Amino acid sequence: MPTKSIPLTEDLSAYVLAHGSPPDDLVRELIDETVAVLPADAGMQIAPEQAGLLTFLTRLVNARQAVEVGTFTGLSSLAIARGLPADGRLTCFDISEEYTAIARRYWARAGVDERIDLRIGPAAEMLRSLPTEPHLDLAFIDADKTGYLSYWAELVPRMRSGGLIVVDNVLRAGRVLAPENPGDRAIVEFNEAVLDDGRVDLVMLPVADGLTLARRR
């Protein structure tokens, strides 16, 4: 099949980023603190352009009820919460008090902490505590890769028609073409499974490490 895609060189990537709304000072500070305090783990933080996209998508679907699986230091949750209305609600699931302590500080500084309900513990188990009827407008998955299928299984039935699931790291730095570890293989399995899921419409975007957007039919 012919393609119109072009190689995204370093210079062209910089051009693309320069022509979108830039991160504000609070986002830049959160990114810098994460790198400074957690240098070995900072790669778990979403890319700045993904943060802008998450806010954009949250507003685009008029989300009021959102879920995040995998919060880390809070950049993605901050982005989603900023896209919610004042009475919107974001439920975050993570296993680390240490990482999310940073997130809590930035949520408070941004004035969105009252929109966020952080729950610490195994996400797949805690997702089952959510109402079972379709009520979610937006969900973001960015946690342990071997758990993606479990999170998907819990979230899809809870999405309203037209609701959006955003899934990060679906390209694994290109290793989906030649998996090297259990995380890579889990993502390959996940990508194939969601492709065959008749409940959603899908598009995979080569943004940062790859994003899948799934709209509930």
Side-chain angles (χ1 to χ4, degrees), residues 170-187:
V170 294
L171 294 180
R172 295 291 287 177
R175 295 192 304 274
V176 287
L177 299 180
E180 298 176 4
N181 56 57
D184 297 345
R185 289 187 284 274
I187 290 299

Side-chain angles (χ1 to χ4, degrees), residues 2 29-30 50 68 71 78 81 86 90 105 128-129 136 145-146 154 157 170 185 190 196 198 216:
E29 188 173 335
L30 172 53
Q50 289 177 298
E68 173 183 80
T71 296
L78 174 61
L90 169 62
R105 286 195 285 105
R128 298 186 193 109
S129 69
L136 295 175
K145 309 314 166 193
T146 56
E154 296 299 333
V170 294
R185 289 187 284 274
F190 173 81
D196 292 333
R216 184 74 158 93

Side-chain angles (χ1 to χ4, degrees), residues 46-79:
I46 63 168
E49 63 269 28
Q50 289 177 298
L53 180 59
L54 282 172
T55 303
F56 190 94
L57 291 172
T58 303
R59 291 172 176 160
L60 192 65
V61 301
N62 295 314
R64 303 181 71 86
Q65 294 290 330
V67 162
E68 173 183 80
V69 182
T71 296
F72 191 44
T73 58
L75 181 53
S76 52
S77 47
L78 174 61

Side-chain angles (χ1 to χ4, degrees), residues 10 15 31 47 54 72 74 80 86 97 107 127 131-132 134 139 141 147 154-155 186 198 215:
E10 186 173 338
Y15 181 88
I31 292 170
L54 282 172
F72 191 44
I80 293 169
E97 293 278 9
W107 297 339
L127 281 168
T132 56
I141 301 174
E154 296 299 333
L155 285 168
R215 180 183 181 274

Side-chain angles (χ1 to χ4, degrees), residues 34-211:
T34 300
V35 172
V37 175
L38 301 166
D41 298 315
M44 293 194 293
Q45 185 169 245
I46 63 168
E49 63 269 28
Q50 289 177 298
L53 180 59
L54 282 172
T55 303
F56 190 94
L57 291 172
T58 303
R59 291 172 176 160
L60 192 65
V61 301
N62 295 314
R64 303 181 71 86
Q65 294 290 330
V67 162
E68 173 183 80
V69 182
T71 296
F72 191 44
T73 58
L75 181 53
S76 52
S77 47
L78 174 61
I80 293 169
R82 281 177 156 180
L84 295 172
D87 61 348
R89 194 72 169 171
L90 169 62
T91 304
C92 294
F93 298 99
D94 202 278
I95 58 172
S96 173
E97 293 278 9
E98 176 191 2
Y99 295 158
T100 56
I102 297 173
R104 288 182 187 274
R105 286 195 285 105
Y106 282 87
W107 297 339
R109 289 178 58 188
V112 299
D113 51 324
E114 292 188 356
R115 302 176 194 174
I116 301 175
D117 175 16
L118 174 63
R119 304 184 188 183
I120 300 295
E125 180 180 319
M126 292 190 298
L127 281 168
R128 298 186 193 109
S129 69
L130 296 176
T132 56
E133 70 272 9
H135 68 285
L136 295 175
D137 304 302
L138 182 127
F140 180 55
I141 301 174
D142 184 22
D144 58 299
K145 309 314 166 193
T146 56
Y148 270 29
L149 279 173
S150 296
Y151 308 144
W152 179 267
E154 296 299 333
L155 285 168
V156 174
R158 293 173 167 84
M159 304 302 299
R160 65 161 171 85
S161 178
L164 184 67
I165 302 178
V166 183
V167 187
D168 197 16
N169 302 119
V170 294
L171 294 180
R172 295 291 287 177
R175 295 192 304 274
V176 287
L177 299 180
E180 298 176 4
N181 56 57
D184 297 345
R185 289 187 284 274
I187 290 299
V188 171
E189 181 183 0
F190 173 81
N191 289 341
E192 295 304 315
V194 301
L195 184 62
D196 292 333
D197 193 327
R199 298 170 296 177
V200 296
D201 296 312
L202 294 174
V203 62
M204 185 182 285
L205 303 177
V207 176
D209 193 30
L211 283 175

Side-chain angles (χ1 to χ4, degrees), residues 4-23:
K4 296 181 71 173
S5 299
I6 60 174
L8 197 60
T9 64
E10 186 173 338
D11 288 343
L12 191 54
S13 177
Y15 181 88
V16 170
L17 297 181
H19 287 78
S21 298

